[in-house]
């Protein structure tokens, strides 16, 4: 069975500071990994994904994530936080059957002025 | 393209009532799925479909029914609503085998009293 753990349900950073959201996964097969963002009262929007190939993945809004197989991690980073980055972020791993996703519990990012 | 649409946006039910949450997609996607979102638990898979006439259970299927008579539509039926089904429900679709990105609808917020 696959599982995803997001360390820290709430993360607070100052505007301009580095954003680091942690995600660890377990999977018995090579994983497909995703980060989604959810703004208040909205659906989920794909930030970035890892399927195969380059382990450093760049996404929208300046975010990137690195797939580290040895650490079973897929942490999300952004060099400089912006107020508009305040949202909830979800890490997910894909099943082989039907492309279905297993999600982590989510991390709410707060950005202080 | 409208993408994935869900109706209604909000719904309040009394315990024991039944209802259907509607989901439609206009991207000719083969796979569709339903998730529920609860605080601290991320999103959990309820049911999914890999094509018209084919459905399967996810992680939390009890109390829900689905059917898929057309490629476009994938309704979720609550047979006898319970307070434990108070949640935000998201429908998603993906292109098909080998295409792991899922596209999410805006969600339905359901309260069961």
């Amino acid at each position: 069975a696959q599982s995803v753990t997001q360390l820290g349900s709430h993360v607070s950073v100052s505007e301009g500071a580095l954003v680091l959201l942690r995600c660890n996964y377990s999977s018995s097969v090579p994983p497909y990994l995703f980060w989604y963002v959810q703004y208040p009262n909205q659906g989920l929007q794909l930030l970035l994904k890892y399927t195969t190939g380059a382990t450093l993945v760049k996404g929208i809004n300046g975010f990137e994530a690195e797939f580290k197989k040895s650490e079973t991690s897929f942490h999300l980073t952004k060099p400089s936080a912006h107020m508009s980055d305040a949202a909830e972020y979800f890490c997910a791993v894909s099943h082989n059957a039907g492309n279905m996703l297993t999600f982590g519990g989510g991390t709410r990012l707060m950005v202080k002025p | 393209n409208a993408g994935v649409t869900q109706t209604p946006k909000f719904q309040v039910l009394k315990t024991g009532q039944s209802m259907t949450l509607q989901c439609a997609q206009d991207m000719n996607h083969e796979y569709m799925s339903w998730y529920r979102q609860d605080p601290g638990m991320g999103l959990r898979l309820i049911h999914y479909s890999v094509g018209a006439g084919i459905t399967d259970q996810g992680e939390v299927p009890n109390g829900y029914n689905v059917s898929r008579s057309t490629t476009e539509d994938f309704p979720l039926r609550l047979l006898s609503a319970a307070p434990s089904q108070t949640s935000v429900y998201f429908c998603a679709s993906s292109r098909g085998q080998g295409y792991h990105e899922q596209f999410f609808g805006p969600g339905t917020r359901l309260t069961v009293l």
Side-chain angles (χ1 to χ4, degrees):
Chain A
Q2 296 169 319
S3 66
V4 178
T5 302
Q6 291 184 239
L7 295 176
S9 59
H10 292 79
V11 170
S12 181
V13 300
S14 298
E15 193 173 18
L18 171 72
V19 175
L20 171 60
L21 305 183
R22 299 178 187 275
C23 173
N24 289 89
Y25 70 91
S26 68
S27 175
S28 57
V29 297
Y32 297 94
L33 295 159
F34 304 82
W35 277 99
Y36 283 86
V37 60
Q38 184 181 34
Y39 298 102
N41 300 314
Q42 294 188 26
L44 276 71
Q45 180 183 3
L46 181 68
L47 267 181
L48 50 79
K49 62 183 177 183
Y50 169 79
T51 53
T52 59
T55 56
L56 182 62
V57 180
K58 295 188 184 300
I60 61 171
N61 301 337
F63 285 93
E64 62 183 35
E66 186 171 11
F67 169 58
K68 292 187 176 181
K69 185 177 179 181
S70 61
E71 298 177 9
T72 62
S73 69
F74 191 56
H75 302 331
L76 182 71
T77 60
K78 182 174 181 178
S80 176
H82 192 272
M83 296 297 290
S84 60
D85 295 326
E88 188 152 23
Y89 293 80
F90 294 95
C91 181
V93 61
S94 177
H95 298 206
N96 284 332
N99 302 344
M100 297 309 125
L101 296 170
T102 298
F103 284 86
T107 298
R108 185 168 298 279
L109 176 66
M110 294 165 284
V111 182
K112 299 175 292 186
Chain B
N1 284 356
V4 180
T5 58
Q6 293 182 238
T7 56
K9 287 186 183 298
F10 302 95
Q11 183 70 49
V12 179
L13 293 178
K14 295 181 179 178
T15 297
Q17 288 185 314
S18 62
M19 80 159 294
T20 299
L21 307 186
Q22 301 291 345
C23 174
Q25 53 91 11
D26 61 359
M27 297 175 282
N28 201 30
H29 283 177
E30 198 172 353
Y31 294 178
M32 297 185 74
S33 53
W34 277 100
Y35 295 84
R36 59 177 287 173
Q37 181 182 19
D38 301 292
M41 303 185 75
L43 282 76
R44 293 178 293 167
L45 182 65
I46 305 172
H47 286 285
Y48 66 99
S49 168
V50 297
I54 306 169
T55 64
D56 206 347
Q57 296 182 350
E59 181 184 354
V60 289
N62 293 342
Y64 307 95
N65 271 1
V66 292
S67 60
R68 185 124 177 250
S69 56
T70 67
T71 300
E72 294 79 19
D73 300 298
F74 191 44
L76 178 73
R77 281 180 285 276
L78 280 70
L79 307 173
S80 176
S84 60
Q85 294 178 303
T86 293
S87 187
V88 182
Y89 292 84
F90 289 98
C91 180
S93 72
S94 66
R95 199 166 160 184
Q97 181 65 34
Y99 296 90
H100 291 260
E101 179 179 351
Q102 294 211 19
F103 295 81
F104 285 83
T108 294
R109 186 174 294 273
L110 176 68
T111 301
V112 183
L113 303 176

